[in-house]
Amino acid sequence: MGMTITEKILAAHSGRDFVEPGEIIDADVDIVLANDITAPLSLEEFEKVGAEKVFDQDKVVFVLDHFTPNKDIISAENCKKIREFSKKHGIKHFYEGGRCGIEHALLPEQGIVVPGDVVIGADSHTCTYGALGAFATGMGSTDITYAMVTGKIWFKVPESIKFLCYGEWNRWVTGKDLILHIIGMIGVDGALYSAMEFDGEAISNLSMDSRMTIANMAIEAGAKNGIFRPDEKTMAYVEKRAKRPPRVFESDRDAQYKQVIEIDVSKLGLKVACPSLPSNVKDVEDLKDIEIDQVVIGSCTNGRLEDLKMAADILKGKKIAPWVRCIVIPATPDIYRDALKLGYIEIFADAGCIISPPTCGPCLGGHMGVLAKGERAVATTNRNFIGRMGHPESEVYLSGPAVAAASAIAGKIMHPEGF
Amino acid sequence: MIIKGHIWKFGDNIDTDIIIPARYLAHTDPGVLGQHCMEPLVPDFSKKVKKGDIIVAGFNFGCGSSREHAPIAISALGIPIVIARSFARIFYRNAFNKGLALMEADIYNMAKEGDEIEIDVFSGIIKTKDTTVKAKPIPPFMVELIEAGGLMNYLKKKLEERHENL
């Protein structure tokens, strides 16, 4: 019997020739990640357990991206704690300040994650790295501590659901619209405990940035991981960045799937997830006269160069609507620099956008764009739960960068056609 | 292991931003996290809930972020177990790792807010005022973790063994 790409990676990391869904395995991990809100709990456990060192100084990664630049004293204390730990233990990949980006944009960009890896992170959007053909999943701080010390973690091998995507992409439509469409179709627990595998000609035609957006939101369908077969685009992306040699796995022809879902992307338009679940998905054309107070273009979901380009193309020569705040957040320093060279930052500034340093800030209602009671935002982020971006009675609509940019100009949720 | 307590009912897809809003995540003190547990839905939950109360919920409890602050906040209020139709997977691991028991059981419709409920964690027998059901017991691997006293105690034991072997 054949294996899926997820099963093959897990088998290879647990010294097995074969694994099947439901088995519990003890796997070696390639990268263990935590951030400024999850690492403090991990480090407390690390001390409590009496561990003396991390399993590998090159494989433990800390990215201080959530409440940074430090939003208050307690956040600053947390960062200090992680910084001191990193110095003491010789952590190679410690990112803060001007070298820091949003973790799930930063790690692939810096070649810290490569195809074939097993990556666990104390952040639910760790599943983003599946876009490279790695097995990557989010866990809590305690599991992360265990892996930091031992280099291993237990997994239950997940069943896989295959999404076979074909057809030509329509203008403006991106990976964000596809993943919102899928979550709308299967629900926020539609892939619970499962691997979501994306394949087909429409996926081959997608950029790496768009694939990362899709893998990023696998967790919003409850999935353990999202994963893509590495192809020429993957290898071209990885080649110039990889810090370790990649290992390419792909699913066997006779691999077993819990379900295969076919999607014709040529029928796909621009999607918006309405409050207060990512599965509450509608076509943008069906949302009439929904006035907004804020727009956020950024995050680990949609803060990459392709996203900024799409927003800049729409915002060029335009002005943000009166009474609307539009916050643009390039996800990493490299993306910021590229956006600067390509003139996007100037376009945003001319349009009247707020240009933020890389941070998760507003996505989780942390800082840098928190909503007041009754306020409404369109965001290219990943969650629109009750109170996600601020007051429990504020609202978040999730979209791709095109709808977000058009809405910022119109002051209400808007299709980008005609801008 | 028998757990007895009064029921608090929550619906489907109770996400981690409800269990503990992100603006409190800079805190690691369980007492502070407990004070804000469920705040967006029940603003004074921490004052109303009594030690030993039990949460009964619908599908996909704990969906959303990986924040371990969520099971910590629930435990801090003295809630020993959450029974739901299903759990999100990261929350499931986190809860057991931190010593909060979870049981997957479809008792949502038979559970009434405020009623007493009795759960035998290892056999899966759940008794409410009028009904008794047998749910799936907690999987053997998770029982192992609970018996070791959570993941960190399990690791501590392993590290001690390693020292002894050196």
PDB file of all heavy atoms in Angstrom, chain A residues 44-45 67 78 123 137 140-143 154 188 193 364 383 385 388, chain B residues 13 15 17 22 26 28 64 66 68-69 87 89 93-94 97-98 152 158:
ATOM      1  N   GLU A  44       9.755  28.574  31.262  1.00  0.00           N
ATOM      2  CA  GLU A  44       9.405  28.245  32.662  1.00  0.00           C
ATOM      3  C   GLU A  44       9.457  26.735  32.866  1.00  0.00           C
ATOM      4  O   GLU A  44       9.996  26.237  33.853  1.00  0.00           O
ATOM      5  CB  GLU A  44       7.983  28.739  32.993  1.00  0.00           C
ATOM      6  CG  GLU A  44       7.933  30.198  33.384  1.00  0.00           C
ATOM      7  CD  GLU A  44       6.503  30.667  33.683  1.00  0.00           C
ATOM      8  OE1 GLU A  44       5.618  29.819  33.961  1.00  0.00           O
ATOM      9  OE2 GLU A  44       6.277  31.899  33.634  1.00  0.00           O
ATOM     10  N   GLU A  45       8.890  25.992  31.904  1.00  0.00           N
ATOM     11  CA  GLU A  45       8.880  24.524  32.001  1.00  0.00           C
ATOM     12  C   GLU A  45      10.301  23.971  31.894  1.00  0.00           C
ATOM     13  O   GLU A  45      10.656  23.010  32.570  1.00  0.00           O
ATOM     14  CB  GLU A  45       8.008  23.918  30.881  1.00  0.00           C
ATOM     15  CG  GLU A  45       6.545  24.311  30.935  1.00  0.00           C
ATOM     16  CD  GLU A  45       5.799  23.677  32.097  1.00  0.00           C
ATOM     17  OE1 GLU A  45       6.382  22.841  32.808  1.00  0.00           O
ATOM     18  OE2 GLU A  45       4.615  24.029  32.296  1.00  0.00           O
ATOM     19  N   PHE A  67       3.986  40.668  20.261  1.00  0.00           N
ATOM     20  CA  PHE A  67       3.739  41.940  20.963  1.00  0.00           C
ATOM     21  C   PHE A  67       4.961  42.848  20.838  1.00  0.00           C
ATOM     22  O   PHE A  67       5.348  43.554  21.757  1.00  0.00           O
ATOM     23  CB  PHE A  67       3.397  41.684  22.431  1.00  0.00           C
ATOM     24  CG  PHE A  67       2.048  41.029  22.642  1.00  0.00           C
ATOM     25  CD1 PHE A  67       1.701  40.481  23.868  1.00  0.00           C
ATOM     26  CD2 PHE A  67       1.105  40.984  21.626  1.00  0.00           C
ATOM     27  CE1 PHE A  67       0.459  39.891  24.067  1.00  0.00           C
ATOM     28  CE2 PHE A  67      -0.138  40.400  21.813  1.00  0.00           C
ATOM     29  CZ  PHE A  67      -0.462  39.838  23.039  1.00  0.00           C
ATOM     30  N   ASN A  78       9.175  39.688  28.939  1.00  0.00           N
ATOM     31  CA  ASN A  78       9.136  38.373  28.273  1.00  0.00           C
ATOM     32  C   ASN A  78      10.244  38.265  27.225  1.00  0.00           C
ATOM     33  O   ASN A  78      10.945  37.265  27.151  1.00  0.00           O
ATOM     34  CB  ASN A  78       7.770  38.144  27.605  1.00  0.00           C
ATOM     35  CG  ASN A  78       6.685  37.793  28.611  1.00  0.00           C
ATOM     36  OD1 ASN A  78       6.981  37.338  29.708  1.00  0.00           O
ATOM     37  ND2 ASN A  78       5.438  37.997  28.233  1.00  0.00           N
ATOM     38  N   ASP A 123       2.894  27.893  17.888  1.00  0.00           N
ATOM     39  CA  ASP A 123       2.052  28.870  17.202  1.00  0.00           C
ATOM     40  C   ASP A 123       1.239  28.067  16.206  1.00  0.00           C
ATOM     41  O   ASP A 123       1.795  27.272  15.446  1.00  0.00           O
ATOM     42  CB  ASP A 123       2.890  29.916  16.468  1.00  0.00           C
ATOM     43  CG  ASP A 123       1.995  31.015  15.920  1.00  0.00           C
ATOM     44  OD1 ASP A 123       1.368  30.795  14.867  1.00  0.00           O
ATOM     45  OD2 ASP A 123       1.885  32.066  16.558  1.00  0.00           O
ATOM     46  N   THR A 137       3.464  21.600  12.108  1.00  0.00           N
ATOM     47  CA  THR A 137       2.229  21.722  12.860  1.00  0.00           C
ATOM     48  C   THR A 137       2.436  22.509  14.146  1.00  0.00           C
ATOM     49  O   THR A 137       3.548  22.571  14.669  1.00  0.00           O
ATOM     50  CB  THR A 137       1.639  20.313  13.141  1.00  0.00           C
ATOM     51  OG1 THR A 137       0.306  20.448  13.625  1.00  0.00           O
ATOM     52  CG2 THR A 137       2.464  19.537  14.159  1.00  0.00           C
ATOM     53  N   GLY A 140       1.482  23.321  21.769  1.00  0.00           N
ATOM     54  CA  GLY A 140       1.568  24.228  22.907  1.00  0.00           C
ATOM     55  C   GLY A 140       2.986  24.296  23.451  1.00  0.00           C
ATOM     56  O   GLY A 140       3.878  23.565  23.021  1.00  0.00           O
ATOM     57  N   SER A 141       3.161  25.187  24.428  1.00  0.00           N
ATOM     58  CA  SER A 141       4.497  25.453  24.960  1.00  0.00           C
ATOM     59  C   SER A 141       5.119  24.230  25.631  1.00  0.00           C
ATOM     60  O   SER A 141       6.326  24.040  25.580  1.00  0.00           O
ATOM     61  CB  SER A 141       4.412  26.605  25.958  1.00  0.00           C
ATOM     62  OG  SER A 141       3.901  27.746  25.318  1.00  0.00           O
ATOM     63  N   THR A 142       4.302  23.405  26.268  1.00  0.00           N
ATOM     64  CA  THR A 142       4.848  22.247  26.978  1.00  0.00           C
ATOM     65  C   THR A 142       5.422  21.228  25.994  1.00  0.00           C
ATOM     66  O   THR A 142       6.524  20.708  26.184  1.00  0.00           O
ATOM     67  CB  THR A 142       3.756  21.609  27.857  1.00  0.00           C
ATOM     68  OG1 THR A 142       3.307  22.598  28.771  1.00  0.00           O
ATOM     69  CG2 THR A 142       4.282  20.425  28.638  1.00  0.00           C
ATOM     70  N   ASP A 143       4.669  20.935  24.931  1.00  0.00           N
ATOM     71  CA  ASP A 143       5.189  20.043  23.892  1.00  0.00           C
ATOM     72  C   ASP A 143       6.488  20.606  23.306  1.00  0.00           C
ATOM     73  O   ASP A 143       7.422  19.869  23.005  1.00  0.00           O
ATOM     74  CB  ASP A 143       4.160  19.886  22.756  1.00  0.00           C
ATOM     75  CG  ASP A 143       3.114  18.813  23.074  1.00  0.00           C
ATOM     76  OD1 ASP A 143       3.478  17.772  23.647  1.00  0.00           O
ATOM     77  OD2 ASP A 143       1.937  19.012  22.727  1.00  0.00           O
ATOM     78  N   TRP A 154       5.932  13.144  20.120  1.00  0.00           N
ATOM     79  CA  TRP A 154       5.028  12.092  19.643  1.00  0.00           C
ATOM     80  C   TRP A 154       3.952  12.691  18.733  1.00  0.00           C
ATOM     81  O   TRP A 154       3.509  13.818  18.927  1.00  0.00           O
ATOM     82  CB  TRP A 154       4.404  11.295  20.794  1.00  0.00           C
ATOM     83  CG  TRP A 154       3.406  12.057  21.641  1.00  0.00           C
ATOM     84  CD1 TRP A 154       3.685  12.772  22.788  1.00  0.00           C
ATOM     85  CD2 TRP A 154       1.994  12.188  21.427  1.00  0.00           C
ATOM     86  NE1 TRP A 154       2.536  13.336  23.276  1.00  0.00           N
ATOM     87  CE2 TRP A 154       1.486  12.998  22.487  1.00  0.00           C
ATOM     88  CE3 TRP A 154       1.104  11.700  20.473  1.00  0.00           C
ATOM     89  CZ2 TRP A 154       0.140  13.326  22.597  1.00  0.00           C
ATOM     90  CZ3 TRP A 154      -0.242  12.032  20.576  1.00  0.00           C
ATOM     91  CH2 TRP A 154      -0.711  12.836  21.633  1.00  0.00           C
ATOM     92  N   VAL A 188     -15.088  24.783  10.046  1.00  0.00           N
ATOM     93  CA  VAL A 188     -13.890  25.036  10.853  1.00  0.00           C
ATOM     94  C   VAL A 188     -13.358  23.776  11.537  1.00  0.00           C
ATOM     95  O   VAL A 188     -12.273  23.791  12.115  1.00  0.00           O
ATOM     96  CB  VAL A 188     -14.097  26.152  11.920  1.00  0.00           C
ATOM     97  CG1 VAL A 188     -14.152  27.519  11.263  1.00  0.00           C
ATOM     98  CG2 VAL A 188     -15.339  25.891  12.753  1.00  0.00           C
ATOM     99  N   TYR A 193      -7.975  16.949  12.928  1.00  0.00           N
ATOM    100  CA  TYR A 193      -6.951  15.900  13.108  1.00  0.00           C
ATOM    101  C   TYR A 193      -6.345  15.396  11.794  1.00  0.00           C
ATOM    102  O   TYR A 193      -5.535  14.478  11.793  1.00  0.00           O
ATOM    103  CB  TYR A 193      -7.493  14.681  13.886  1.00  0.00           C
ATOM    104  CG  TYR A 193      -7.960  14.988  15.272  1.00  0.00           C
ATOM    105  CD1 TYR A 193      -9.319  15.008  15.589  1.00  0.00           C
ATOM    106  CD2 TYR A 193      -7.046  15.275  16.284  1.00  0.00           C
ATOM    107  CE1 TYR A 193      -9.758  15.298  16.868  1.00  0.00           C
ATOM    108  CE2 TYR A 193      -7.471  15.569  17.565  1.00  0.00           C
ATOM    109  CZ  TYR A 193      -8.824  15.572  17.853  1.00  0.00           C
ATOM    110  OH  TYR A 193      -9.253  15.874  19.126  1.00  0.00           O
ATOM    111  N   LEU A 364      -4.187  39.710  16.235  1.00  0.00           N
ATOM    112  CA  LEU A 364      -4.746  39.083  17.437  1.00  0.00           C
ATOM    113  C   LEU A 364      -5.148  40.119  18.478  1.00  0.00           C
ATOM    114  O   LEU A 364      -5.250  39.818  19.668  1.00  0.00           O
ATOM    115  CB  LEU A 364      -3.770  38.057  18.017  1.00  0.00           C
ATOM    116  CG  LEU A 364      -2.476  38.527  18.685  1.00  0.00           C
ATOM    117  CD1 LEU A 364      -1.889  37.374  19.484  1.00  0.00           C
ATOM    118  CD2 LEU A 364      -1.478  39.048  17.718  1.00  0.00           C
ATOM    119  N   ARG A 383      -8.105  34.993  11.219  1.00  0.00           N
ATOM    120  CA  ARG A 383      -9.169  34.668  12.178  1.00  0.00           C
ATOM    121  C   ARG A 383     -10.079  35.863  12.385  1.00  0.00           C
ATOM    122  O   ARG A 383      -9.612  36.992  12.483  1.00  0.00           O
ATOM    123  CB  ARG A 383      -8.586  34.251  13.533  1.00  0.00           C
ATOM    124  CG  ARG A 383      -7.932  32.911  13.457  1.00  0.00           C
ATOM    125  CD  ARG A 383      -7.571  32.316  14.791  1.00  0.00           C
ATOM    126  NE  ARG A 383      -7.016  31.011  14.517  1.00  0.00           N
ATOM    127  CZ  ARG A 383      -5.858  30.551  14.996  1.00  0.00           C
ATOM    128  NH1 ARG A 383      -5.161  31.285  15.827  1.00  0.00           N
ATOM    129  NH2 ARG A 383      -5.429  29.352  14.660  1.00  0.00           N
ATOM    130  N   PHE A 385     -12.680  35.555  14.836  1.00  0.00           N
ATOM    131  CA  PHE A 385     -13.423  35.160  16.036  1.00  0.00           C
ATOM    132  C   PHE A 385     -13.920  36.400  16.779  1.00  0.00           C
ATOM    133  O   PHE A 385     -13.393  37.501  16.598  1.00  0.00           O
ATOM    134  CB  PHE A 385     -12.511  34.379  16.990  1.00  0.00           C
ATOM    135  CG  PHE A 385     -11.964  33.090  16.434  1.00  0.00           C
ATOM    136  CD1 PHE A 385     -10.734  32.619  16.867  1.00  0.00           C
ATOM    137  CD2 PHE A 385     -12.670  32.340  15.506  1.00  0.00           C
ATOM    138  CE1 PHE A 385     -10.216  31.426  16.392  1.00  0.00           C
ATOM    139  CE2 PHE A 385     -12.161  31.143  15.029  1.00  0.00           C
ATOM    140  CZ  PHE A 385     -10.925  30.679  15.470  1.00  0.00           C
ATOM    141  N   ARG A 388     -11.485  39.124  18.244  1.00  0.00           N
ATOM    142  CA  ARG A 388     -10.122  38.781  17.815  1.00  0.00           C
ATOM    143  C   ARG A 388      -9.219  40.019  17.683  1.00  0.00           C
ATOM    144  O   ARG A 388      -8.065  40.015  18.032  1.00  0.00           O
ATOM    145  CB  ARG A 388     -10.191  38.036  16.468  1.00  0.00           C
ATOM    146  CG  ARG A 388      -8.852  37.782  15.801  1.00  0.00           C
ATOM    147  CD  ARG A 388      -8.066  36.685  16.469  1.00  0.00           C
ATOM    148  NE  ARG A 388      -6.822  36.421  15.764  1.00  0.00           N
ATOM    149  CZ  ARG A 388      -5.914  35.534  16.144  1.00  0.00           C
ATOM    150  NH1 ARG A 388      -6.104  34.813  17.227  1.00  0.00           N
ATOM    151  NH2 ARG A 388      -4.823  35.354  15.461  1.00  0.00           N
TER     152      ARG A 388
ATOM    153  N   ASN B  13     -17.557  25.404  18.616  1.00  0.00           N
ATOM    154  CA  ASN B  13     -16.432  26.253  18.180  1.00  0.00           C
ATOM    155  C   ASN B  13     -16.033  27.316  19.207  1.00  0.00           C
ATOM    156  O   ASN B  13     -15.807  28.477  18.860  1.00  0.00           O
ATOM    157  CB  ASN B  13     -16.765  26.939  16.845  1.00  0.00           C
ATOM    158  CG  ASN B  13     -17.123  25.948  15.766  1.00  0.00           C
ATOM    159  OD1 ASN B  13     -16.424  24.951  15.578  1.00  0.00           O
ATOM    160  ND2 ASN B  13     -18.214  26.197  15.068  1.00  0.00           N
ATOM    161  N   ASP B  15     -13.556  29.150  20.731  1.00  0.00           N
ATOM    162  CA  ASP B  15     -12.169  29.295  20.290  1.00  0.00           C
ATOM    163  C   ASP B  15     -11.288  29.819  21.417  1.00  0.00           C
ATOM    164  O   ASP B  15     -11.788  30.270  22.446  1.00  0.00           O
ATOM    165  CB  ASP B  15     -12.101  30.204  19.052  1.00  0.00           C
ATOM    166  CG  ASP B  15     -12.618  31.586  19.349  1.00  0.00           C
ATOM    167  OD1 ASP B  15     -11.917  32.342  20.044  1.00  0.00           O
ATOM    168  OD2 ASP B  15     -13.735  31.929  18.887  1.00  0.00           O
ATOM    169  N   ASP B  17      -9.559  32.467  21.548  1.00  0.00           N
ATOM    170  CA  ASP B  17      -9.700  33.907  21.810  1.00  0.00           C
ATOM    171  C   ASP B  17     -10.853  34.168  22.774  1.00  0.00           C
ATOM    172  O   ASP B  17     -10.906  35.223  23.402  1.00  0.00           O
ATOM    173  CB  ASP B  17      -9.911  34.684  20.510  1.00  0.00           C
ATOM    174  CG  ASP B  17      -8.605  34.903  19.767  1.00  0.00           C
ATOM    175  OD1 ASP B  17      -7.852  35.796  20.154  1.00  0.00           O
ATOM    176  OD2 ASP B  17      -8.329  34.144  18.822  1.00  0.00           O
ATOM    177  N   ALA B  22      -6.320  37.324  23.468  1.00  0.00           N
ATOM    178  CA  ALA B  22      -4.878  37.473  23.227  1.00  0.00           C
ATOM    179  C   ALA B  22      -4.262  38.634  23.999  1.00  0.00           C
ATOM    180  O   ALA B  22      -3.088  38.587  24.329  1.00  0.00           O
ATOM    181  CB  ALA B  22      -4.630  37.646  21.732  1.00  0.00           C
ATOM    182  N   ALA B  26       0.500  38.150  27.472  1.00  0.00           N
ATOM    183  CA  ALA B  26       1.834  38.454  27.992  1.00  0.00           C
ATOM    184  C   ALA B  26       1.965  37.889  29.407  1.00  0.00           C
ATOM    185  O   ALA B  26       3.060  37.683  29.898  1.00  0.00           O
ATOM    186  CB  ALA B  26       2.095  39.950  27.970  1.00  0.00           C
ATOM    187  N   THR B  28       1.806  35.048  32.352  1.00  0.00           N
ATOM    188  CA  THR B  28       1.925  33.590  32.471  1.00  0.00           C
ATOM    189  C   THR B  28       1.368  33.115  33.814  1.00  0.00           C
ATOM    190  O   THR B  28       1.263  31.927  34.048  1.00  0.00           O
ATOM    191  CB  THR B  28       3.398  33.140  32.351  1.00  0.00           C
ATOM    192  OG1 THR B  28       4.175  33.842  33.333  1.00  0.00           O
ATOM    193  CG2 THR B  28       3.967  33.441  30.972  1.00  0.00           C
ATOM    194  N   GLY B  64      -8.550  27.289  17.173  1.00  0.00           N
ATOM    195  CA  GLY B  64      -7.799  28.538  17.083  1.00  0.00           C
ATOM    196  C   GLY B  64      -6.350  28.350  17.438  1.00  0.00           C
ATOM    197  O   GLY B  64      -5.715  27.409  16.970  1.00  0.00           O
ATOM    198  N   SER B  66      -2.515  28.160  19.415  1.00  0.00           N
ATOM    199  CA  SER B  66      -1.841  27.100  20.167  1.00  0.00           C
ATOM    200  C   SER B  66      -1.613  27.494  21.621  1.00  0.00           C
ATOM    201  O   SER B  66      -0.983  26.760  22.353  1.00  0.00           O
ATOM    202  CB  SER B  66      -0.504  26.783  19.499  1.00  0.00           C
ATOM    203  OG  SER B  66       0.372  27.874  19.692  1.00  0.00           O
ATOM    204  N   GLU B  68      -1.149  27.865  25.219  1.00  0.00           N
ATOM    205  CA  GLU B  68      -1.348  26.969  26.349  1.00  0.00           C
ATOM    206  C   GLU B  68      -2.013  27.718  27.500  1.00  0.00           C
ATOM    207  O   GLU B  68      -2.466  27.117  28.461  1.00  0.00           O
ATOM    208  CB  GLU B  68       0.014  26.434  26.786  1.00  0.00           C
ATOM    209  CG  GLU B  68      -0.041  25.015  27.267  1.00  0.00           C
ATOM    210  CD  GLU B  68       1.327  24.384  27.250  1.00  0.00           C
ATOM    211  OE1 GLU B  68       2.114  24.655  28.155  1.00  0.00           O
ATOM    212  OE2 GLU B  68       1.610  23.635  26.308  1.00  0.00           O
ATOM    213  N   HIS B  69      -2.044  29.043  27.359  1.00  0.00           N
ATOM    214  CA  HIS B  69      -2.724  29.876  28.343  1.00  0.00           C
ATOM    215  C   HIS B  69      -4.198  29.457  28.455  1.00  0.00           C
ATOM    216  O   HIS B  69      -4.819  29.695  29.492  1.00  0.00           O
ATOM    217  CB  HIS B  69      -2.638  31.346  27.945  1.00  0.00           C
ATOM    218  CG  HIS B  69      -1.264  31.813  27.541  1.00  0.00           C
ATOM    219  ND1 HIS B  69      -0.602  31.317  26.443  1.00  0.00           N
ATOM    220  CD2 HIS B  69      -0.427  32.717  28.106  1.00  0.00           C
ATOM    221  CE1 HIS B  69       0.593  31.911  26.343  1.00  0.00           C
ATOM    222  NE2 HIS B  69       0.717  32.757  27.346  1.00  0.00           N
ATOM    223  N   PHE B  87     -12.983  18.089  20.179  1.00  0.00           N
ATOM    224  CA  PHE B  87     -11.986  19.093  20.566  1.00  0.00           C
ATOM    225  C   PHE B  87     -11.085  19.409  19.383  1.00  0.00           C
ATOM    226  O   PHE B  87     -10.792  18.543  18.564  1.00  0.00           O
ATOM    227  CB  PHE B  87     -11.110  18.567  21.712  1.00  0.00           C
ATOM    228  CG  PHE B  87     -11.838  18.404  22.998  1.00  0.00           C
ATOM    229  CD1 PHE B  87     -12.361  17.161  23.366  1.00  0.00           C
ATOM    230  CD2 PHE B  87     -12.037  19.485  23.843  1.00  0.00           C
ATOM    231  CE1 PHE B  87     -13.055  17.009  24.548  1.00  0.00           C
ATOM    232  CE2 PHE B  87     -12.725  19.337  25.035  1.00  0.00           C
ATOM    233  CZ  PHE B  87     -13.244  18.092  25.392  1.00  0.00           C
ATOM    234  N   ARG B  89      -7.409  19.939  17.883  1.00  0.00           N
ATOM    235  CA  ARG B  89      -6.314  19.045  18.250  1.00  0.00           C
ATOM    236  C   ARG B  89      -5.199  19.672  19.084  1.00  0.00           C
ATOM    237  O   ARG B  89      -4.670  19.042  19.973  1.00  0.00           O
ATOM    238  CB  ARG B  89      -5.729  18.326  17.032  1.00  0.00           C
ATOM    239  CG  ARG B  89      -5.186  19.223  15.949  1.00  0.00           C
ATOM    240  CD  ARG B  89      -4.207  18.487  15.086  1.00  0.00           C
ATOM    241  NE  ARG B  89      -2.936  18.336  15.743  1.00  0.00           N
ATOM    242  CZ  ARG B  89      -2.010  19.286  15.806  1.00  0.00           C
ATOM    243  NH1 ARG B  89      -2.227  20.466  15.250  1.00  0.00           N
ATOM    244  NH2 ARG B  89      -0.878  19.079  16.418  1.00  0.00           N
ATOM    245  N   ARG B  93      -4.021  18.321  23.009  1.00  0.00           N
ATOM    246  CA  ARG B  93      -2.680  17.988  23.521  1.00  0.00           C
ATOM    247  C   ARG B  93      -2.323  18.879  24.707  1.00  0.00           C
ATOM    248  O   ARG B  93      -1.831  18.411  25.722  1.00  0.00           O
ATOM    249  CB  ARG B  93      -1.616  18.219  22.435  1.00  0.00           C
ATOM    250  CG  ARG B  93      -1.566  17.225  21.343  1.00  0.00           C
ATOM    251  CD  ARG B  93      -0.390  17.533  20.405  1.00  0.00           C
ATOM    252  NE  ARG B  93       0.863  17.057  20.961  1.00  0.00           N
ATOM    253  CZ  ARG B  93       1.622  16.110  20.397  1.00  0.00           C
ATOM    254  NH1 ARG B  93       1.248  15.546  19.276  1.00  0.00           N
ATOM    255  NH2 ARG B  93       2.745  15.737  20.960  1.00  0.00           N
ATOM    256  N   ASN B  94      -2.563  20.175  24.552  1.00  0.00           N
ATOM    257  CA  ASN B  94      -2.182  21.128  25.593  1.00  0.00           C
ATOM    258  C   ASN B  94      -2.855  20.816  26.924  1.00  0.00           C
ATOM    259  O   ASN B  94      -2.247  20.901  27.978  1.00  0.00           O
ATOM    260  CB  ASN B  94      -2.560  22.552  25.177  1.00  0.00           C
ATOM    261  CG  ASN B  94      -1.666  23.089  24.075  1.00  0.00           C
ATOM    262  OD1 ASN B  94      -0.650  22.486  23.753  1.00  0.00           O
ATOM    263  ND2 ASN B  94      -2.055  24.205  23.495  1.00  0.00           N
ATOM    264  N   ASN B  97      -1.322  17.822  28.536  1.00  0.00           N
ATOM    265  CA  ASN B  97       0.041  18.172  28.960  1.00  0.00           C
ATOM    266  C   ASN B  97       0.046  18.991  30.242  1.00  0.00           C
ATOM    267  O   ASN B  97       0.977  18.928  31.029  1.00  0.00           O
ATOM    268  CB  ASN B  97       0.757  18.970  27.866  1.00  0.00           C
ATOM    269  CG  ASN B  97       1.193  18.088  26.721  1.00  0.00           C
ATOM    270  OD1 ASN B  97       1.251  16.870  26.846  1.00  0.00           O
ATOM    271  ND2 ASN B  97       1.514  18.699  25.585  1.00  0.00           N
ATOM    272  N   LYS B  98      -1.013  19.792  30.437  1.00  0.00           N
ATOM    273  CA  LYS B  98      -1.089  20.647  31.616  1.00  0.00           C
ATOM    274  C   LYS B  98      -1.957  20.041  32.715  1.00  0.00           C
ATOM    275  O   LYS B  98      -2.239  20.689  33.706  1.00  0.00           O
ATOM    276  CB  LYS B  98      -1.647  22.028  31.255  1.00  0.00           C
ATOM    277  CG  LYS B  98      -0.870  22.809  30.214  1.00  0.00           C
ATOM    278  CD  LYS B  98       0.577  22.976  30.525  1.00  0.00           C
ATOM    279  CE  LYS B  98       0.879  23.959  31.610  1.00  0.00           C
ATOM    280  NZ  LYS B  98       2.346  24.139  31.778  1.00  0.00           N
ATOM    281  N   MET B 152       5.525  17.170  31.497  1.00  0.00           N
ATOM    282  CA  MET B 152       6.801  17.626  32.066  1.00  0.00           C
ATOM    283  C   MET B 152       7.319  16.679  33.142  1.00  0.00           C
ATOM    284  O   MET B 152       8.517  16.438  33.244  1.00  0.00           O
ATOM    285  CB  MET B 152       6.654  19.043  32.615  1.00  0.00           C
ATOM    286  CG  MET B 152       6.753  20.096  31.539  1.00  0.00           C
ATOM    287  SD  MET B 152       8.286  19.995  30.586  1.00  0.00           S
ATOM    288  CE  MET B 152       7.699  19.452  29.018  1.00  0.00           C
ATOM    289  N   LYS B 158      12.343  10.955  32.799  1.00  0.00           N
ATOM    290  CA  LYS B 158      13.253  10.481  31.744  1.00  0.00           C
ATOM    291  C   LYS B 158      14.649  11.075  31.912  1.00  0.00           C
ATOM    292  O   LYS B 158      15.653  10.397  31.747  1.00  0.00           O
ATOM    293  CB  LYS B 158      12.711  10.868  30.362  1.00  0.00           C
ATOM    294  CG  LYS B 158      11.765   9.843  29.782  1.00  0.00           C
ATOM    295  CD  LYS B 158      11.423  10.201  28.374  1.00  0.00           C
ATOM    296  CE  LYS B 158      11.779   9.093  27.402  1.00  0.00           C
ATOM    297  NZ  LYS B 158      11.469   9.452  26.021  1.00  0.00           N
TER     298      LYS B 158
END
